[in-house]
Each structure stands twice: as structure tokens, then as C-alpha cells.
């Protein structure tokens, strides 16, 4: 079965090559080619999963070495794959949810004349992400990491005729390059420290390495994760990425790009376990982003940007859990998988709403859509219940496990992190209830589009609704399936490890507290948006509301600190170069030139002058000699 691993990547990669190089002759069938090859990757993954289940826990790691990629003395990189319980989880999520998004895109992109190219980019995205999670060394992982960055740039800016889309693509690309610097430095540190960047020998040598070195590597890996997973301080690209087609938003936010950072930290568990300071920074970043994204999501009227803030917040939960070490690794991945179901469903549901509302994204111009789009309403509603942690649905199990793990950290740190996760759960219930009420309830607030046409909401075609139904089923049942008999914990524990921790309160107390804050969040949202008429034009709002609408001034901060700071630094360096460096060089040259000019006057070309000089010199030498003898 090991020989099938490479086919997981090869299938969607073949689709990307064929669709992007095949030309217009494939326009009529390109979407089917892309979808079938994505489905083929999922089928291969399912076969490998079935084989893995038939093995003992200690015999579930499969490897495939295709060839030596870089054969240099003292530096060798292999094109090799590693499939274990962790990478298998991602393979099924990426290829499964990715295939459903391909199917959805058949209907969503039906009238786009560049649909073939779009499906080629989707295939490239899936192939790059699969390469990232299947690599058995950090250098090959980096290759997939950059492939994901390229594909995201192409997809976010797919409608490049819109200046906002082109700008968003460039912004995502540039911000992620900052994170990529962290990954490249981490790989170089690994090679200089361990002499290799392959997972197995690096992890085996961690115990012999100083904590300072491991902390440096861990912080660089975290910087990379912040870029890909849109965590503070590299989160500014995520909201703008909504300029791409909605299937892209679902793919980036649910199954691929933003989960890459969580994978990187959990895969590097051995490094972080040996660097407690780096672990602490990871939890702080996750906690801050958890609240940051939730607050931003509360004030957005654009349905996709509200969900983008939600993604930022939910990934914050995962990063926080990953920073807890063996207490939280399993639950970070568990929430990642359940989030893949309900967040993909929510984004596809948002796309369905836009499809029926003439591409309108402002929720204040929706209202009463549950009557006109019943399937979208039901599937979106189940995703909503899952993400807020309604009892019995997937988010209830996975998010509660993270909250419990946060308290289990113990001490003051545990109480702080537990309180942050509880507060985040309450805010999540508020902003998602707000999205639900503004979109599907209340009175009609429909407005004519720029061409003067009033929307006529209608249910989307089956190619769009069937994937939404499947994802809704996952949103309902996945969490319970994972939790019963601790299936998911027993599945991942051999790879990630697990410790129960020492929670200061019981699991029942945590669950009760979570339900209380959930009810409070829903009640506040219902009071503000369910019982009162919703104005089409948003009121000015409080200072916090205005700040949240501007993403808590993250772009302004980046502009002042990075752009303006970079400009001042550049000007200072230019001044230093002109005034100091060039001054020293030019001054030395001028001094030599001036001295040469003065010495040159002594060389007048007259023989009598030279004879006098020689005679004078001789006289001086004779006089000096006689004087020395006399003394």
C-alpha cells in the first residue's frame, strides 16, 4: 500500500497540469476532470485509511521514498512521503472536503468563462496541501508550503479585473512571505544543529539539544504558522481574501491553507515539548487571536468577512490548544476536523445566499431568506449550531475539550486561558447568532443591485446543495463519533502523545459554564437583532464597534509600524550611506587627490631644478655625516 501514497498528490497535480496546459479545448469538460481527480485522491486516501485501520497502532506509519531530490555531499534531501495517523487525518479532510468544494464549484462557477482555469487552480491547491502534510522532511514540507501560497494567490485574485481582488491577492502573498521567512530560518537552524531536516532524526535528537536552540526553532515555526493560519500579528490578509470566489473562501478557511499552521506546530510537537517558552508564546498568540477574530466578527456586515473573523477565532482555539502541549495536541486536531465540516458548510451556505441575492454580501440587505432558501437555511443553521457548541453537535465536543484542556494547564495560566476560551465561546454565540438572524429571519430588507434589479431569492442547484447537506451531516455527527469511546484520542495519541492534565474544576462544571456563556451570547444577539427592526444602513455604533469594523486597526498598525517604519529605516540607511559611507570613501579619494596635486607641483620637468635638488640633498647628507662623526 505504500506505493499508493504518491498517487494522493499525483492525482490532483495531474489535474492542475492538464487543465492549465490543455487549452480551450477542455473548457467544456475541465470542471469534470478537476472534480474526478480530486475525488480519485480521496478514494486512494480512503483505501489507505482502511489498510491503516487493519494494522496495530505501532505499525501504522507508512513511508515511500521516490528518489533523492538533492544529492549533495553533506546535504541530502529526499522526495519521500510519510503517512501516519496525523497526516492521514489531514489527507481525508483535504481530499474529502476539497472534493465537495469542487462539486459545489461546478454550479457556482457555471457562467464563468474561465471555469477550467479555476478548477486547475483548485487542483493545484489540493495537491500542494497534500504534499505539505505528507512530506517526511521539513524541506519538502516547505515546497508544499510555498505551493499553497502560490495557489492561494492565484485563487484569491482569480477575478483580477476587480482591483480589490488583485490587491487582496498581493496582500495575502506578501504577508505570508513574512511567515515563510520564519520557516526557512527554522529549517536552516535544524540543519546546522542536527545535520538534517528529516522528521525522524530531528525529533530523535531533540533531547540532546539546548533549550535555547529549541526555543529559537519553535519561535520561527510559530512565525510561519502565524502567516499561514492568520494569527496575530500576521492576520491582516484573511478578511481581504474574501474577494476571491466563495468556494475559494471555503477551501482556504476550512480544509487547507489556514490549517497548515496548526499541522506544523503539532507535527513539530517534539520541538515544542522541549521548549516551554516557545509553547507559552504559542498559547498567548492563540488566546489573543481567539478574541481578536471574535470581536472583529461581531461588527462585520459582509457575511463572508464575518465568517472570516470566525475562522481567525476558531484557528486561535486550535493554536492555543497546540500550545498546551500533550494536554491539547489531540483536541487541536479534533477541532480542526470538526471545523472543516461546519466552516466549509457555512461558507458554501454564504455562497448559496449570494447566488440567490445577486451577489449581495451585506447581511443588512438580507432578511427572511429561510422561506425562500429552505435547504440553505437548514444546512447553514446546522453549521451555526455546531460552531457555537450546541449540545450534541460536533463543535460542542471539540471546543469543550479545548476549554477543559485550557483549565487543565493548571495554576494561574490555566485559569487565564480557561477564562479566555470561555469568553470566546460566548462571543462566538453572539456573532454567529447575529449572522443567522440578519440573514434568515426578520423582515425583507432587499435592495436593488447596481443595475436596478431587485433580488429574487431562490434555492441553489443540487450541485451546490448536495455538498452543503453532506457537510451539515458532518457538522452534526462528527464530534460525537470522535468522542464515543475516545476514538479520536486513541487514533492520534501514538503520534502526538497525550496527558490528561490537572483541571481545577470538573468536566461537568466546564460544560455548564460553557452552556451559560452560550445562552448569554445568543440572548444578547436576539435582543439586539431579533426583537428590533434592523436598519439597512449600519448605525455609527460604539468606539469598539467602529474599531472592529476596521479590523481593530490592524491595517493601520501595519502601515504605521511596518510601512512607515520601513520607510524611515530606508531613509536612515540612505542617509547613512550618502553621508557616512560615501563621505568616508569620497573624502579619502579627495585627500589623496589633493595631496597628489600638491606633490605634482614639485615635478616641473626642468633639469636644472632636479640638479639643484640633488646637489642640495648631497650637501645635507654630507653635513649630517660630518656632524655625527664630530659627536
Amino acid at each position: 500500500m505504500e506505493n499508493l501514497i504518491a498517487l494522493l498528490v499525483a492525482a490532483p497535480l495531474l489535474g492542475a497540469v492538464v487543465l492549465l496546459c490543455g487549452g480551450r479545448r477542455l473548457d467544456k469538460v475541465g470542471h469534470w476532470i478537476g472534480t474526478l481527480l480530486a475525488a480519485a485522491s480521496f478514494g486512494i486516501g480512503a483505501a489507505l485509511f482502511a489498510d491503516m485501520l487493519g494494522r496495530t497502532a505501532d505499525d501504522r506509519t507508512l513511508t515511500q521514498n521516490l528518489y533523492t531530490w538533492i544529492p549533495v555531499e553533506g546535504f541530502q534531501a529526499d522526495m519521500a512521503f510519510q503517512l501516519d495517523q496525523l497526516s492521514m487525518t489531514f489527507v481525508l479532510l483535504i481530499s474529502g472536503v476539497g472534493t465537495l468544494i469542487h462539486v459545489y464549484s461546478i454550479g457556482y462557477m457555471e457562467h464563468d468563462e474561465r471555469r477550467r482555469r479555476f478548477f486547475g487552480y483548485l487542483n493545484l491547491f489540493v495537491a500542494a496541501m497534500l504534499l505539505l502534510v505528507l512530506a517526511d522532511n521539513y524541506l519538502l514540507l516547505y515546497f508544499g508550503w510555498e505551493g499553497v501560497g502560490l495557489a492561494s494567490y492565484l485563487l484569491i485574485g482569480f477575478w483580477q479585473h476587480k482591483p480589490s481582488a488583485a490587491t487582496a491577492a498581493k496582500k495575502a502573498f506578501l504577508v505570508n512571505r513574512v511567515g515563510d521567512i520564519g520557516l526557512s530560518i527554522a529549517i536552516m537552524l535544524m540543519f546546522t544543529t542536527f545535520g538534517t531536516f528529516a522528521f525522524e532524526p530531528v525529533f530523535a535528537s531533540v533531547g540532546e539539544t539546548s533549550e535555547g536552540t529549541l526555543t529559537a526553532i519553535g519561535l520561527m515555526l510559530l512565525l510561519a504558522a502565524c502567516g499561514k493560519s492568520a494569527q496575530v500579528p500576521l492576520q491582516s490578509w484573511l478578511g481581504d481574501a474574501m474577494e476571491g470566489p466563495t468556494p475559494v473562501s471555503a477551501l482556504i478557511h476550512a480544509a487547507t491553507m489556514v490549517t497548515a499552521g496548526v499541522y506544523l506546530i503539532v507535527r513539530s510537537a517534539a520541538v515544542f515539548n522541549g521548549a516551554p517558552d516557545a509553547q507559552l508564546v504559542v498559547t498567548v498568540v492563540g488566546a489573543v487571536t481567539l478574541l481578536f477574530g471574535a470581536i472583529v466578527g461581531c461588527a462585520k456586515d459582509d457575511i463572508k468577512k464575518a465568517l472570516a473573523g470566525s475562522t481567525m477565532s476558531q484557528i486561535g482555539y486550535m493554536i492555543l490548544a497546540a500550545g498546551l502541549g500533550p494536554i491539547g495536541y489531540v483536541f487541536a486536531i479534533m477541532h480542526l476536523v470538526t471545523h472543516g465540516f461546519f466552516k466549509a458548510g457555512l461558507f458554501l451556505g454564504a455562497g448559496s445566499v449570494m447566488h440567490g441575492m445577486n451577489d449581495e454580501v451585506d447581511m443588512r440587505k438580507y432578511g427572511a431568506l429561510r422561506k425562500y432558501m429552505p435547504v440553505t437555511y437548514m444546512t447553514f443553521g446546522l453549521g451555526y449550531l455546531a460552531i457555537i457548541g450546541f449540545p450534541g453537535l460536533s463543535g460542542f465536543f471539540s471546543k469543550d475539550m479545548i476549554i477543559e484542556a485550557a483549565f487543565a494547564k493548571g495554576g494561574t495560566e490555566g485559569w487565564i486561558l480557561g477564562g479566555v476560551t470561555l469568553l470566546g465561546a460566548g462571543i462566538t454565540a453572539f456573532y454567529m447568532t447575529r449572522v443567522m438572524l440578519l440573514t434568515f429571519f426578520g423582515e425583507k430588507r432587499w435592495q436593488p443591485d447596481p443595475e436596478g434589479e431587485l433580488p429574487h431569492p431562490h434555492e441553489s442547484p443540487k450541485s451546490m446543495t448536495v455538498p452543503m447537506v453532506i457537510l451539515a451531516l458532518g457538522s452534526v455527527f462528527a464530534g460525537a463519533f470522535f468522542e464515543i469511546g475516545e476514538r479520536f484520542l486513541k487514533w492520534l495519541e501514538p503520534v502526538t502523545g497525550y496527558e490528561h492534565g490537572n483541571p481545577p474544576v470538573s468536566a461537568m462544571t466546564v460544560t455548564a459554564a460553557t452552556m451559560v456563556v452560550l445562552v448569554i451570547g445568543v440572548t444578547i444577539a436576539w435582543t439586539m437583532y431579533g426583537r428590533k427592526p434592523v436598519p439597512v444602513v449600519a448605525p455609527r455604533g460604539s468606539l469598539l464597534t467602529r474599531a472592529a469594523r476596521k479590523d481593530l486597526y490592524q491595517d493601520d498598525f501595519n502601515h504605521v509600524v511596518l510601512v512607515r517604519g520601513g520607510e524611515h529605516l530606508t531613509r536612515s540607511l540612505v542617509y547613512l550611506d550618502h553621508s557616512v559611507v560615501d563621505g568616508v570613501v569620497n573624502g579619502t579619494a579627495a585627500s589623496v587627490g589633493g595631496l597628489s596635486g600638491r606633490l605634482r607641483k614639485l615635478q616641473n620637468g626642468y633639469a636644472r631644478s632636479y640638479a639643484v635638488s640633488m646637489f642640495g640633498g648631497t650637501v645635507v647628507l654630507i653635513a649630517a655625516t660630518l656632524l655625527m662623526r664630530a659627536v
Side-chain angles (χ1 to χ4, degrees), residues 79-365:
M79 182 64 71
F81 301 116
Q82 174 179 301
L83 185 66
D84 56 16
Q85 293 94 314
L86 178 60
S87 51
M88 175 56 77
T89 301
F90 276 84
V91 164
L92 295 177
L93 177 67
I94 294 163
S95 59
V97 175
T99 298
L100 292 176
I101 292 172
H102 276 72
V103 174
Y104 178 93
S105 300
I106 293 174
Y108 191 87
M109 302 294 289
E110 182 179 4
H111 302 295
D112 195 299
E113 59 182 17
R114 300 170 66 237
R115 181 165 63 165
R116 168 185 56 81
R117 185 178 296 272
F118 179 78
F119 276 83
Y121 293 159
L122 286 183
N123 273 194
L124 179 63
F125 207 138
V126 172
M129 190 66 191
L130 288 171
L131 178 62
L132 189 160
V133 300
L134 287 170
D136 88 328
N137 62 81
Y138 282 98
L139 190 62
L140 187 57
L141 181 150
Y142 186 80
F143 189 75
W145 191 272
E146 292 302 312
V148 170
L150 171 63
S152 67
Y153 169 78
L154 295 172
L155 285 168
I156 294 171
F158 183 75
W159 287 330
Q160 69 264 29
H161 60 275
K162 296 166 54 181
S164 57
T167 301
K170 289 187 288 185
K171 184 177 182 180
F173 190 83
L174 292 173
V175 172
N176 273 273
R177 296 294 71 73
V178 177
D180 295 349
I181 292 173
L183 182 55
S184 62
I185 293 175
I187 294 172
M188 287 185 277
L189 285 173
M190 288 177 193
F191 187 77
T192 56
T193 303
F194 307 113
T196 180
F197 32 70
F199 292 155
E200 187 174 346
V202 167
F203 300 155
S205 303
V206 162
E208 305 169 3
T209 308
S210 69
E211 184 177 313
T213 300
L214 294 178
T215 298
I217 294 174
L219 292 177
M220 290 299 99
L221 292 174
L222 173 61
L223 178 62
C226 287
K228 275 290 184 287
S229 295
Q231 299 294 285
V232 171
L234 301 179
Q235 79 285 6
S236 62
W237 66 270
L238 194 64
D240 293 343
M242 297 303 97
E243 292 294 335
T246 299
V248 175
S249 304
L251 193 63
I252 289 177
H253 287 245
T256 56
M257 187 167 176
V258 294
T259 64
V262 182
Y263 170 80
L264 181 65
I265 293 175
V266 176
R267 174 59 76 188
S268 307
V271 174
F272 284 96
N273 290 341
D277 291 339
Q279 276 189 333
L280 176 61
V281 178
V282 172
T283 58
V284 170
V285 167
V288 171
T289 311
L290 186 165
L291 296 178
F292 189 104
I295 293 171
V296 168
C298 290
K300 293 295 184 181
D301 293 327
D302 183 320
I303 187 171
K304 290 173 64 178
K305 290 191 175 183
L307 294 177
S310 168
T311 296
M312 194 186 303
S313 178
Q314 297 305 307
I315 299 294
Y317 269 104
M318 301 171 207
I319 294 292
L320 185 151
L324 297 174
I327 300 175
Y329 288 137
V330 172
F331 305 126
I333 302 301
M334 182 177 175
H335 192 54
L336 185 150
V337 175
T338 60
H339 177 265
F341 285 110
F342 57 70
K343 184 52 63 66
L346 288 169
F347 267 111
L348 296 188
S352 180
V353 170
M354 292 167 58
H355 181 78
M357 290 293 291
N358 295 350
D359 290 326
E360 178 61 66
V361 296
D362 189 344
M363 293 183 292
R364 291 183 177 275
K365 299 177 182 178

Side-chain angles (χ1 to χ4, degrees), residues 340-412:
F341 285 110
F342 57 70
K343 184 52 63 66
L346 288 169
F347 267 111
L348 296 188
S352 180
V353 170
M354 292 167 58
H355 181 78
M357 290 293 291
N358 295 350
D359 290 326
E360 178 61 66
V361 296
D362 189 344
M363 293 183 292
R364 291 183 177 275
K365 299 177 182 178
Y366 291 164
L369 292 182
R370 70 185 188 281
K371 303 174 184 177
Y372 303 90
M373 309 180 72
V375 177
T376 300
Y377 164 64
M378 290 298 297
T379 56
F380 194 98
L382 291 173
Y384 151 73
L385 293 174
I387 194 173
I388 68 172
F390 189 82
L393 275 69
S394 59
F396 168 78
F397 294 100
S398 60
K399 190 185 294 184
D400 265 29
M401 293 296 100
I402 293 178
I403 297 173
E404 290 177 21
F407 279 108
K409 184 67 175 177
T412 304

